[in-house]
């Protein structure tokens, strides 16, 4: 399999639907799709042509993990929920367009969680990445009152980040030393 054309009747690309299909180079996702679940394209290392339609609202964790042939990724403004490591292991990614960085959302215990830039790449180390220490949420250790930090893995090749929304939270790009261009296009 090298090319996948998903039918117009499909609303969800389910967990592991195309996981480890290393021969896939192109995926055509129709406007009917609203959700790309976790691990949907996990390990599709040959995938280099990806177009996420502006009808998608949710992309699950590690959905495109290990898609090492992707050089340019565009997450449309319609996406309001992203999973950790969504683009982890995309070791040749050069440019990414996102509707927001560091969105704050409440979790199930009433705390506010802050997702920094590194969150979309996850904390699983892979070759061709560097680690950044970022604060993923507003929770403090009870014993010391210090904030909790995570080490996220950013591809060495990533040089340009384009933000199309209006939200960039504190410490969003902390430690992202190899990114050369951050372009903000506030469309909203």
């Amino acid at each position: 399999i090298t090319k996948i054309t998903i039918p117009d009747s499909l609303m969800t690309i389910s967990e592991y639907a195309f996981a480890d299909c290393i021969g896939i180079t192109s995926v055509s996702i129709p406007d009917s799709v609203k959700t790309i679940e976790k691990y949907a394209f996990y390990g599709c290392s040959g995938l280099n042509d990806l177009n996420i339609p502006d009808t998608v609202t949710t992309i699950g964790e590690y959905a495109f993990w290990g898609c090492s042939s992707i050089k340019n990724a565009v997450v449309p403004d319609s996406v309001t929920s992203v999973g950790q490591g969504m683009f982890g292991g995309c070791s040749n990614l050069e440019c990414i367009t996102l509707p927001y960085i560091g969105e704050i959302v409440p979790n199930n215990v009433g705390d506010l969680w802050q997702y920094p830039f590194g969150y979309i790449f996850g904390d699983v180390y892979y070759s061709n990445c560097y680690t950044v220490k970022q604060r993923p949420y507003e929770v403090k250790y009870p014993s010391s009152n210090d904030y909790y930090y995570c080490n996220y893995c950013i591809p060495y090749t990533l040089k340009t980040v384009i933000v199309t929304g209006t939200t960039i939270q504190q410490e969003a790009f902390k430690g992202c030393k190899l990114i050369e261009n951050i372009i903000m296009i506030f469309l909203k």
Side-chain angles (χ1 to χ4, degrees):
I1 299 173
T2 58
K3 182 177 180 181
I4 297 173
T5 301
I6 296 172
D8 290 341
S9 58
L10 198 69
M11 294 182 66
T12 299
I13 300 174
S14 298
E15 296 178 20
Y16 298 97
F18 301 101
D20 295 321
C21 292
I22 61 173
I24 294 173
T25 59
S26 176
V27 175
S28 178
I29 301 172
D31 289 344
S32 60
V33 172
K34 309 287 184 248
T35 302
I36 299 172
E37 291 186 347
K38 62 184 179 179
Y39 301 99
F41 295 95
Y42 181 95
C44 294
S45 58
L47 182 61
N48 59 32
D49 183 14
L50 174 67
N51 182 21
I52 301 170
D54 62 6
T55 54
V56 172
T57 59
T58 302
I59 301 174
E61 63 186 28
Y62 303 102
F64 300 100
W65 202 97
C67 294
S68 56
S69 294
I70 295 175
K71 292 188 178 194
N72 183 33
V74 177
V75 178
D77 289 343
S78 59
V79 173
T80 57
S81 177
V82 298
Q84 179 173 348
M86 172 175 66
F87 287 108
C90 292
S91 56
N92 288 302
L93 191 63
E94 297 172 359
C95 178
I96 189 165
T97 302
L98 300 164
Y100 53 83
I101 302 291
E103 181 184 38
I104 293 179
V105 294
N107 70 10
N108 59 1
V109 293
D111 293 323
L112 293 177
W113 291 59
Q114 176 182 338
Y115 298 135
F117 181 66
Y119 177 83
I120 64 169
F121 296 104
D123 57 3
V124 178
Y125 184 81
Y126 54 91
S127 63
N128 203 28
C129 77
Y130 64 98
T131 58
V132 296
K133 185 176 181 180
Q134 295 180 333
R135 185 171 65 182
Y137 46 84
E138 293 290 332
V139 174
K140 296 181 178 183
Y141 288 111
S143 59
S144 66
N145 209 26
D146 290 334
Y147 286 106
Y148 177 79
Y149 284 84
C150 280
N151 288 317
Y152 295 112
C153 300
I154 311 294
Y156 281 123
T157 55
L158 184 63
K159 301 300 179 195
T160 302
V161 178
I162 301 169
V163 182
T164 60
T166 59
T167 304
I168 298 177
Q169 299 299 338
Q170 63 187 0
E171 298 185 13
F173 291 103
K174 182 179 181 183
C176 296
K177 59 188 175 196
L178 297 180
I179 294 174
E180 296 172 0
N181 304 296
I182 297 174
I183 302 166
M184 296 177 215
I185 306 170
F186 298 123
L187 301 174
K188 297 179 181 176

